[in-house]
Amino acid sequence: NLSCHRLARGILSRGRHEVELHWTHGKLRPKAKIDGWDSSTGLLYDLKSCDSATPDGFRRACWQYGYHYQAAYYKRGLRAVGEDPCPMVFVLSEKSVPFHWHVVGCSPDDVERADAHAESLLSRIEECLESGEWPGLIGDEPEIVGMRRSRDD
């Protein structure tokens, strides 16, 4: 219940919501829509529904959904338009009873690595736009994929 989690409630009540960003990166014109941004404090946040609001649950979700890339990308966009964001926080809301809330952030090292990787990906996109050639998955032929024998395989 959000009314019981003072920190989450306070964060979600701050700043502007659904903030659109547009900036230039070389020949690219990236854009983003941020859930929440308070320019007076630099607070950058995103609301996530999740299966588990525990630190381990968030760590798994980061690997699965790339939240550390999201944090790096939003910070990159804010810096490009002249803002100075604090480290991004995620306000987590569990999807099932007891509907716990938690506020977490990605480690600065993970966000820095994601940003460096994102830089190389943006450069790759520029190269593909110039050449008109886009890499695909390996091979041009159909591939037969068998089912695992159990969930643990």
Side-chain angles (χ1 to χ4, degrees):
N1 186 332
L2 180 59
S3 63
C4 296
H5 200 287
R6 190 173 40 193
L7 178 59
R9 190 175 67 245
I11 289 171
L12 294 174
S13 69
R14 300 188 65 139
R16 295 179 11 232
H17 301 100
E18 299 291 316
V19 178
E20 290 188 24
L21 293 177
H22 301 269
W23 69 97
T24 301
H25 179 89
K27 295 180 181 177
L28 301 178
R29 304 292 181 261
K31 60 184 177 178
K33 187 179 275 190
I34 297 172
D35 280 358
W37 165 243
D38 184 350
S39 59
S40 66
T41 63
L43 177 65
L44 169 63
Y45 60 90
D46 198 67
L47 176 62
K48 297 287 185 202
S49 61
C50 59
D51 293 324
S52 171
T54 65
D56 280 340
F58 180 70
R59 189 175 297 110
R60 285 189 301 273
C62 276
W63 278 109
Q64 185 172 2
Y65 301 114
Y67 293 155
H68 51 308
Y69 282 93
Q70 179 185 5
Y73 188 71
Y74 286 1
K75 287 181 72 172
R76 174 184 286 264
L78 284 165
R79 282 194 208 107
V81 298
E83 298 289 352
D84 186 25
C86 293
M88 184 172 177
V89 295
F90 294 88
V91 180
L92 307 179
S93 170
E94 288 184 346
K95 295 186 266 187
S96 57
V97 174
F99 304 107
H100 285 130
W101 288 77
H102 196 51
V103 177
V104 298
C106 297
S107 83
D109 289 343
D110 289 338
V111 174
E112 189 175 312
R113 279 190 295 275
D115 189 57
H117 187 223
E119 178 65 30
S120 69
L121 294 174
L122 289 168
S123 295
R124 178 77 171 153
I125 291 170
E126 283 185 304
E127 291 170 11
C128 292
L129 284 169
E130 284 183 21
S131 70
E133 295 180 25
W134 296 82
L137 295 176
I138 298 170
D140 292 331
E141 298 297 320
E143 191 171 336
I144 305 300
V145 178
M147 297 298 294
R148 300 181 302 193
R149 291 190 183 105
S150 72
R151 290 174 46 163
D152 298 327
D153 281 351

